[in-house]
Amino acid sequence: GLDTDAEKTESAGSDSLEENPVPLSEVANSGEISVPESLIDQVIGQEHAVEVMRKAAIQRRHVLMIGIPGTGKSMLAKAMAELLPKEEMQDILIYPNSEDPNEPVVRTVPSGKGKEIVGAHKQEAMKRTKTRSTLILLLIFGIMGYALISGQLLFGIIAAAFIFMAMQYSRPKEEAMVPKLLVSTKPDSIAPFIDGTGSHAGALLGDVRHDPFQSGGLETPAHDRVEAGGIHKAHKGVLFIDEINTLTPHSQQSLLTALQEGEFPITGQSERSSGAMVRTEPVPCRFVMVAAGNMDGVQGMHPALRSRIRGYGYEVYMQETMLDTPENRDKFIRFIAQEVKNDGKIPHFDHEAIEELLLEARRRSNRKGHLTLKLRDMGGLIRVAGDLARQEGAEIATAKHVLDAKSMARSIEDQVSDEYIRRSLEYDLTVVEGALVGRVNGLAVMGSDSGSVLPIMAEVTPTQGATGQVIATGLLKEIAQESIKNVSAIIKNFTGKDIRNMDVHVQFLGTYNGVEGDSASVTVATAIISAIENIPVRQDVAMTGSLSVRGNVLPIGGVTYKIEAAAKAGIKKVIIPQSNLDDVVIEERYAKMVEIVPVTTIEEVLEHALVFERKEDFIAKIKEMSSRRAKAFADK
Ligand code: ADP
């Protein structure tokens, strides 16, 4: 059965490609591209996850999706609801229990029947109340008539009042016998999709409302106060929960029980409310669970719940980037058309605008030859660009709209980093001209997609103790210790001095935030060499790179963001690892502001960064160092 299904989907896929015979990269605007009908076919770049979802849907299996936000997890879960095999849907009714009012009775009926039943009950109750009212009215008239005739008016009024009150008192009871429609479905509709992300216990597991009037004939009957939870509304459908680890352990435990039993009684969730006394019969909740989270989150989830999902389902990893191939570019372009269509209000994008968006997708992938799959953010950018075009009354969005949108739709981190750069310029933390001993402009990435200039200061003093120490605080100490271990040989080569006999003080200037370990090691090494040799460092130069024990400069992450941050801060020259050169996808305005210098060795870094009194001295030193390195290799 599975194989044929797979074939079917494959042929369906190639069909939809044939609808667009022109390569999408050549279309004049995104309006010419046809968008697939079903949600699952709209998912881009997650081929493996799509395949798993199709399989899981056929078998009604649970799925755990692991990946960063905005890559299509909830989209896939919704698509799964469309794919679930057709099943008879059910309505769930809840009745009062005459034996134990605190345990309302639960009944399921075929889809659509629930409304009918409740309607019939309501009518019945109304009819009965009506007949009773008529009877009572007749009775009252009778008594009044008799009282008038016999002259006992007072007795008549009292009797009528009694009867009237009796009627009032008994009416709510009649209506109270009407069952409540807890979950209602439409016949022949697709399976329900319920998003339980961030729900508190009551919304997820069901709740019984508090009754302020708990006696005296004014109380609302228990069954009427029962509310369905997400797990019950998702009966026979899909329950999606993102950031699964943020549910309380109690909720996760209950979710596990619900998964195991396929039914779960509803009880009041807040302990002190009158609802807590009520506990219904078990309410059916046979749903397919799609749980999601990032790697850390999934590790933080209830182990029994995770193993339950894993044991009875699938675990999928979401991709963060896709290869920058012609096919994938086409998919990305189709994504643009999709977002425009789904938004419904913004205009389509012309060829140059599409190119600009592709460039941005390349840039955001942060990886050589890849396109980003953080498509929620890309969608946000598309909508902002579209809105700008619409405000101008433009028929079509152009590259200019995309560029304007980019400067508007920047992430919080990017804005924070801009603010940080601006402020550190004000406070003179960032020096971008002249030359200073021991001070080097390093580069760091804040959050995931914005860079900043992070100056590092080194000072060297003869050791106080037996062996030299690295004096630094926090994470920098670790980075510094590690990179000093790596650079000590190089420094010895270069300066002839043994830093093991010295105390090295290293500090970040300004606030430190989110530097990944060794991308600062070239910076730290340069600062230390400068400090030991008393050679000033050019301050219009910034650098990033990881240093190997042999003095080679190794690749690092986030190079594009770092270069852009350097440009914004007024740096003129950025030194990066040669092997990162292909990862650089910077916007044109920045490209004009900085010179990018790719390097492979620390000698090259020093050549570009240090200011030598006499060029010859430096060349001699470099030569000596290189030959020593060559000799060291030969010895090995
Ligand atoms: P997640 O659940 O992973 O945080 P969503 O599924 O909510 O992400 O994605 C939000 C929006 O971003 C979607 O509605 C869709 O417009 C777009 N999107 C995200 N990932 C994809 C994808 N893989 N293919 C197509 N569109 C996507």
Side-chain angles (χ1 to χ4, degrees):
L2 263 183
D3 285 348
T4 52
D5 280 323
E7 272 163 28
K8 249 188 251 157
T9 57
E10 247 173 43
S11 60
S14 55
D15 274 349
S16 62
L17 275 185
E18 273 160 25
E19 282 169 25
N20 293 310
V22 194
L24 298 191
S25 49
E26 282 165 29
V27 297
N29 79 65
S30 55
E32 296 171 15
I33 300 162
S34 59
V35 171
E37 277 302 310
S38 70
L39 202 51
I40 191 86
D41 292 327
Q42 292 188 11
V43 177
I44 282 163
Q46 307 288 354
E47 284 73 24
H48 176 65
V50 166
E51 198 185 315
V52 170
M53 282 324 243
R54 284 188 194 277
K55 255 193 229 162
I58 297 168
Q59 305 165 54
R60 302 191 135 266
R61 291 291 175 79
H62 308 304
V63 179
L64 180 61
M65 288 196 284
I66 302 167
I68 54 171
T71 49
K73 294 189 293 295
S74 83
M75 196 176 172
L76 276 165
K78 217 177 281 170
M80 191 184 191
E82 289 180 6
L83 294 171
L84 283 182
K86 265 243 156 325
E87 252 199 75
E88 293 295 315
M89 289 297 143
Q90 287 178 328
D91 289 346
I92 303 175
L93 289 167
I94 186 141
Y95 289 83
N97 183 345
S98 49
E99 260 141 56
D100 181 357
N102 280 332
E103 193 187 358
V105 175
V106 174
R107 294 282 175 271
T108 57
V109 294
S111 181
K113 280 270 177 300
K115 222 179 211 162
E116 286 174 27
I117 294 174
V118 172
H121 266 87
K122 268 195 185 140
Q123 250 177 6
E124 180 72 8
M126 247 156 59
K127 224 193 293 169
R128 254 190 273 165
T129 329
K130 227 189 230 161
T131 9
R132 182 190 301 222
S133 319
T134 334
L135 276 175
I136 287 173
L137 270 181
L138 283 176
L139 203 63
I140 292 175
F141 277 128
I143 290 172
M144 291 297 274
Y146 171 76
L148 269 180
I149 291 164
S150 61
Q152 292 175 312
L153 201 58
L154 192 64
F155 163 74
I157 289 171
I158 291 172
F162 263 117
I163 294 168
F164 185 73
M165 270 163 63
M167 181 194 106
Q168 283 297 0
Y169 185 75
S170 61
R171 193 174 58 183
K173 280 234 174 92
E174 280 295 326
E175 279 168 6
M177 296 312 284
V178 176
K180 175 173 177 166
L181 186 54
L182 199 60
V183 175
S184 92
T185 56
K186 286 200 199 83
D188 291 326
S189 58
I190 58 161
F193 167 81
I194 303 293
D195 188 344
T197 305
S199 300
H200 56 89
L204 187 65
L205 307 167
D207 206 348
V208 182
R209 273 181 291 124
H210 178 64
D211 182 10
F213 311 105
Q214 287 168 44
S215 60
L218 282 171
E219 73 263 34
T220 314
H223 82 281
D224 233 7
R225 291 185 279 126
V226 174
E227 308 281 348
I231 57 171
H232 307 110
K233 292 180 190 153
H235 180 48
K236 297 203 173 197
V238 173
L239 178 67
F240 173 68
I241 301 183
D242 201 355
E243 292 162 19
I244 178 82
N245 57 305
T246 60
L247 286 185
T248 61
H250 166 75
S251 289
Q252 294 194 46
Q253 183 66 52
S254 304
L255 202 54
L256 177 62
T257 314
L259 278 177
Q260 284 166 338
E261 307 291 329
E263 51 180 31
F264 197 81
I266 298 175
T267 179
Q269 295 291 339
S270 85
E271 257 164 53
R272 262 170 300 164
S273 99
S274 60
M277 297 186 322
V278 179
R279 186 184 175 86
T280 69
E281 289 181 353
V283 182
C285 60
R286 263 178 296 107
F287 55 88
V288 174
M289 169 98 198
V290 180
N294 61 17
M295 200 59 193
D296 289 349
V298 168
Q299 270 156 8
M301 79 188 267
H302 195 301
L305 182 60
R306 178 169 182 190
S307 78
R308 174 81 194 180
I309 297 177
R310 214 181 355 197
Y312 291 83
Y314 297 94
E315 231 174 48
V316 287
Y317 290 84
M318 302 295 287
Q319 297 296 318
E320 292 178 25
T321 60
M322 61 181 174
L323 274 173
D324 186 6
T325 61
E327 287 115 77
N328 285 342
R329 277 197 290 275
D330 276 6
K331 285 185 195 159
F332 185 83
I333 294 168
R334 202 192 73 209
F335 163 75
I336 299 172
Q338 249 165 235
E339 291 291 301
V340 172
K341 187 177 168 219
N342 291 340
D343 183 85
K345 291 194 287 282
I346 56 173
H348 275 287
F349 285 64
D350 75 7
H351 186 77
E352 281 73 43
I354 292 175
E355 285 298 316
E356 201 59 51
L357 285 168
L358 268 168
L359 181 69
E360 183 65 8
R362 236 168 256 145
R363 199 177 80 91
R364 290 192 184 183
S365 78
N366 233 328
R367 229 176 130 184
K368 192 191 304 188
H370 281 73
L371 298 169
T372 185
L373 284 173
K374 284 200 232 163
L375 293 180
R376 180 192 303 179
D377 295 351
M378 284 309 298
L381 181 65
I382 290 169
R383 274 183 292 280
V384 174
D387 280 341
L388 289 178
R390 198 163 57 112
Q391 279 161 21
E392 286 178 13
E395 297 270 292
I396 196 139
T398 63
K400 182 180 170 297
H401 297 128
V402 176
L403 288 173
D404 289 349
K406 268 205 298 196
S407 55
M408 278 176 66
R410 283 173 318 147
S411 71
I412 302 284
E413 273 135 10
D414 214 8
Q415 295 176 31
V416 170
S417 127
D418 267 13
E419 171 70 2
Y420 173 67
I421 289 172
R422 203 179 53 74
R423 240 192 281 167
S424 47
L425 278 173
E426 271 170 22
Y427 292 108
D428 241 354
L429 279 174
T430 314
V431 182
V432 294
E433 50 196 26
L436 290 168
V437 170
R439 185 190 188 285
V440 181
N441 283 318
L443 293 167
V445 173
M446 295 169 82
S448 60
D449 60 358
S450 75
S452 62
V453 176
L454 193 66
I456 286 179
M457 193 79 195
E459 241 173 282
V460 177
T461 51
T463 183
Q464 307 291 317
T467 55
Q469 280 187 342
V470 177
I471 298 153
T473 51
L475 187 75
L476 181 59
K477 190 172 175 114
E478 278 168 44
I479 303 173
Q481 266 168 341
E482 188 58 36
S483 67
I484 280 167
K485 224 191 285 162
N486 275 1
V487 299
S488 63
I490 294 163
I491 289 174
K492 186 148 191 231
N493 266 340
F494 192 76
T495 66
K497 291 175 188 154
D498 194 342
I499 54 168
R500 278 171 301 184
N501 299 330
M502 293 177 242
D503 286 341
V504 181
H505 305 249
V506 190
Q507 59 172 328
F508 283 123
L509 300 181
T511 38
Y512 155 76
N513 207 328
V515 184
E516 3 66 272
D518 60 13
S519 86
S521 59
V522 164
T523 318
V524 171
T526 306
I528 295 174
I529 290 173
S530 161
I532 294 176
E533 290 291 274
N534 208 19
I535 306 174
V537 181
R538 285 177 57 168
Q539 298 300 308
D540 60 350
V541 171
M543 61 180 68
T544 179
S546 162
L547 200 56
S548 81
V549 207
R550 290 180 173 169
N552 295 321
V553 178
L554 305 177
I556 41 80
V559 67
T560 296
Y561 301 120
K562 289 176 178 171
I563 295 173
E564 290 182 355
K568 275 190 250 177
I571 297 281
K572 291 286 170 304
K573 207 188 244 193
V574 182
I575 299 174
I576 64 164
Q578 168 85 44
S579 40
N580 277 124
L581 194 55
D582 288 336
D583 300 331
V584 178
V585 190
I586 59 170
E587 288 170 29
E588 205 152 320
R589 56 191 165 122
Y590 295 129
K592 289 192 202 118
M593 295 159 72
V594 284
E595 180 193 350
I596 298 169
V597 182
V599 298
T600 52
T601 62
I602 182 76
E603 291 98 318
E604 289 171 70
V605 175
L606 299 176
E607 184 183 342
H608 288 285
L610 299 186
V611 179
F612 296 94
E613 301 275 276
R614 289 175 34 198
K615 198 85 180 164
E616 309 85 71
D617 285 358
F618 167 69
I619 293 175
K621 220 162 210 173
I622 290 284
K623 276 201 181 132
E624 194 186 317
M625 183 168 165
S626 306
S627 69
R628 260 195 247 171
R629 276 218 295 163
K631 189 166 161 293
F633 277 123
D635 289 348
K636 273 194 184 161

